[in-house]
């Protein structure tokens, strides 16, 4: 019998290496597309959050014929009782965001749990309705620690160092720099600088928007601090700057960028590093550094507070996001737009509108971006 010969087919080592190399190239080409698709989904989710906030604002206005001020609450401002009228507009919007349970918890006296000691409690030992002063009982008062999912952009990974509820959506206080977040009852207030849709302790309505709802910014994204000195989430401390010089030269703020790494602050610049008091770190607190912005520098620019005044009420507070090239804004008519970093922002060396410069009532010096932040400056400005 003749022996039969058998042939066996198989990959050679060279062929296997070629196949592996091809797979590696394909994966390398595919990964950026997957990442881009994920960011597109996060960006869409972020836009949808803003649409929900827009509906909440309009439903609130339909119910009360006014918008909430970004600075409201209980007790006189400078008293030790209540929350010193320091709540942002977000707690009042919570029942219009399908957060009725949180609103009920927030709007009623709350008994502490074992081991908790409320600041200025009621006679029965409970927290008063609408909580204590906004910087106290951070680790004890439950509403302070509640995170509303609608208030977080999926593209922003920031987390509170104190476990507090955060926000990526802030209210527009106009195009002012000096005293822009002062209460109108303050002896140092400058009524002419309150040019945005929101201000402390003074609610505005849609009828106040003489420039048109579709031409006025109501809210915008802000980026939270990751602790890495990135400009969009960090806050340059007021000790870096002198008095009100920033009011006549915004380059004082933009110059904090590191020339070798322009997305980060220069190493010699001191930053505000309190995890309970940085951008977006307390959703319920009205301070402009926490839940506000002004239309001075374009989106994704630095934020710089002035060292005079109290509670970071003067400075440049920029809109920002971790989306590529700009951020979402909510117009007063409820439309959500994406504003790029290249938006026309006027003369950055001009005097800001303030009583200090005897220019109250003038058009915004900050171009289209500044004009979009004002409600009644009679500028003919709109997005293309």
């Amino acid at each position: 019998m003749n022996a039969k010969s058998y042939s066996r087919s198989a990959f050679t080592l060279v062929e296997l290496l070629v196949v592996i190399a091809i797979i590696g190239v394909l994966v390398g080409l595919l990964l950026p597309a997957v990442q881009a698709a994920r960011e597109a989904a996060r960006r869409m989710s972020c836009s949808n959050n803003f649409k929900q906030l827009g509906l909440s604002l309009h439903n609130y206005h339909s119910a009360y014929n006014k918008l909430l001020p970004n600075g409201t609450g209980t007790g006189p401002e400078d008293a030790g009782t209540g929350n010193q009228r320091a709540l942002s507009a977000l707690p009042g919007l919570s029942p219009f965001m399908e957060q009725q349970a949180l609103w009920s918890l927030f709007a009623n006296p709350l008994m502490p749990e074992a081991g908790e000691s409320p600041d200025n409690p009621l006679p029965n030992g409970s927290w008063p309705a609408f909580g204590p002063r906004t910087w106290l009982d951070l680790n004890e008062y439950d509403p302070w620690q509640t995170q509303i999912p609608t208030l977080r952009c999926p593209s922003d990974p920031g987390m509170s160092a104190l476990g507090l509820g955060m926000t990526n959506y802030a209210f527009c206080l106009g195009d002012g720099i000096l005293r822009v977040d002062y209460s109108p009852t303050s002896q140092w207030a400058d009524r002419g600088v309150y040019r945005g849709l929101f201000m402390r302790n003074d609610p505005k309505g849609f009828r106040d928007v003489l420039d048109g709802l579709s031409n006025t910014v109501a809210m915008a994204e802000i980026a939270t601090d990751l602790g890495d000195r990135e400009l969009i989430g960090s806050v340059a401390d007021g000790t870096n700057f002198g008095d009100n010089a920033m009011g006549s030269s915004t380059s004082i703020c933009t110059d904090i960028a590191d020339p070798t790494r322009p997305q980060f602050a220069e190493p010699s610049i001191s930053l505000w590093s309190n995890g309970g008091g940085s951008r977006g770190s307390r959703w319920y607190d009205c301070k402009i550094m926490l839940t506000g912005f002004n239309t001075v520098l374009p989106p994704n620019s630095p934020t710089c507070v002035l060292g005079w005044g109290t509670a970071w009420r003067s400075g440049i507070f920029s809109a920002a996001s971790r989306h590529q090239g700009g951020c979402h804004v909510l117009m007063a008519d409820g439309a959500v737009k994406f504003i790029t970093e290249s938006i026309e922002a006027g003369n950055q060396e001009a005097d800001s509108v303030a009583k200090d410069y005897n220019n109250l009532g003038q058009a915004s010096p900050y171009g289209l971006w500044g004009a979009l932040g004002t409600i009644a400056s009679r500028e003919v400005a709109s997005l293309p």
Side-chain angles (χ1 to χ4, degrees):
M1 178 183 285
N2 295 329
K4 293 182 179 180
S5 61
Y6 295 91
S7 63
R8 182 179 177 183
S9 61
F11 286 110
T12 66
L13 179 58
V14 173
E15 291 172 330
L16 283 173
L17 291 175
V18 170
V19 170
I20 292 172
I22 293 173
I23 292 174
V25 170
L26 292 175
V27 169
L29 293 173
L30 186 61
L31 278 178
V34 171
Q35 289 291 88
R38 287 177 175 172
E39 170 53 24
R42 289 191 290 262
R43 181 167 158 175
M44 182 176 294
S45 177
C46 184
S47 175
N48 288 337
N49 286 346
F50 241 159
K51 290 177 182 177
Q52 294 302 314
L53 282 168
L55 287 173
S56 300
L57 284 174
H58 277 255
N59 287 337
Y60 186 96
H61 193 276
S62 295
Y64 299 104
N65 205 31
K66 286 284 185 182
L67 294 171
L68 278 157
N70 196 46
T72 186
T74 58
E77 263 191 85
D78 298 321
T81 58
N83 52 49
Q84 295 187 343
R85 298 182 64 79
L87 295 180
S88 76
L90 292 171
L93 289 177
S94 60
F96 296 87
M97 293 188 284
E98 300 298 326
Q99 295 291 328
Q100 292 90 340
L102 175 60
W103 171 252
S104 297
L105 184 70
F106 190 74
N108 294 288
L110 181 64
M111 289 299 297
E113 299 176 359
E116 295 179 342
S117 302
D119 172 64
N120 288 313
L122 297 177
N124 67 353
S126 69
W127 279 287
F130 302 107
R133 288 172 285 183
T134 54
W135 63 93
L136 298 175
D137 299 344
L138 301 182
N139 296 318
E140 299 178 329
Y141 187 60
D142 289 345
W144 287 178
Q145 299 179 318
T146 302
Q147 180 62 67
I148 300 177
T150 306
L151 299 182
R152 293 307 312 272
C153 173
S155 296
D156 191 307
M159 297 179 64
S160 169
L162 301 179
L164 301 172
M166 303 178 73
T167 181
N168 288 109
Y169 309 111
F171 298 94
C172 181
L173 277 72
D175 63 342
I177 294 177
L178 306 181
R179 305 179 190 87
V180 65
D181 197 29
Y182 277 44
S183 167
T185 59
S186 168
Q187 61 179 312
W188 296 288
D190 183 356
R191 292 288 304 190
V193 83
Y194 304 137
R195 290 153 57 99
L197 189 56
F198 294 90
M199 61 182 288
R200 293 174 67 97
N201 306 331
D202 192 358
K204 297 181 180 179
F206 289 152
R207 69 175 183 178
D208 298 314
V209 187
L210 303 182
D211 291 346
L213 297 182
S214 62
N215 301 326
T216 302
V217 172
M219 300 180 71
E221 285 186 86
I222 56 175
T224 63
D225 185 12
L226 303 184
D228 57 0
R229 300 183 64 84
E230 189 178 12
L231 291 180
I232 62 172
S234 301
V235 176
D237 197 302
T239 56
N240 298 288
F241 316 109
D243 292 338
N244 64 347
M246 199 186 301
S248 57
S249 177
T250 63
S251 61
I252 292 175
C253 184
T254 55
D255 285 349
I256 72 170
D258 187 340
T260 62
R261 304 176 72 229
Q263 291 181 314
F264 295 84
E266 200 270 327
S268 65
I269 296 295
S270 59
L271 302 179
W272 185 262
S273 59
N274 185 339
S278 54
R279 291 297 265 164
S281 62
R282 300 202 294 252
W283 67 272
Y284 54 85
D285 197 319
C286 75
K287 296 179 182 65
I288 186 172
M289 190 171 89
L290 307 177
T291 57
F293 75 100
N294 46 12
T295 53
V296 177
L297 293 176
N300 293 342
S301 295
T303 289
C304 308
V305 299
L306 283 175
W308 56 281
T310 57
W312 325 296
R313 292 178 178 176
S314 296
I316 296 173
F317 304 86
S318 297
S321 80
R322 290 193 162 80
H323 308 304
Q324 186 66 35
C327 72
H328 291 106
V329 301
L330 174 68
M331 307 304 289
D333 66 351
V336 178
K337 306 285 188 180
F338 191 82
I339 302 293
T340 65
E341 301 167 1
S342 60
I343 187 172
E344 195 270 314
N347 180 9
Q348 295 298 312
E349 297 302 314
D351 293 339
S352 65
V353 175
K355 62 184 180 182
D356 301 62
Y357 306 112
N358 195 31
N359 61 356
L360 296 179
Q362 292 187 4
S364 177
Y366 307 121
L368 174 59
W369 181 231
L372 290 173
T374 64
I375 63 174
S377 294
R378 308 300 176 93
E379 297 127 325
V380 182
S382 61
L383 290 169

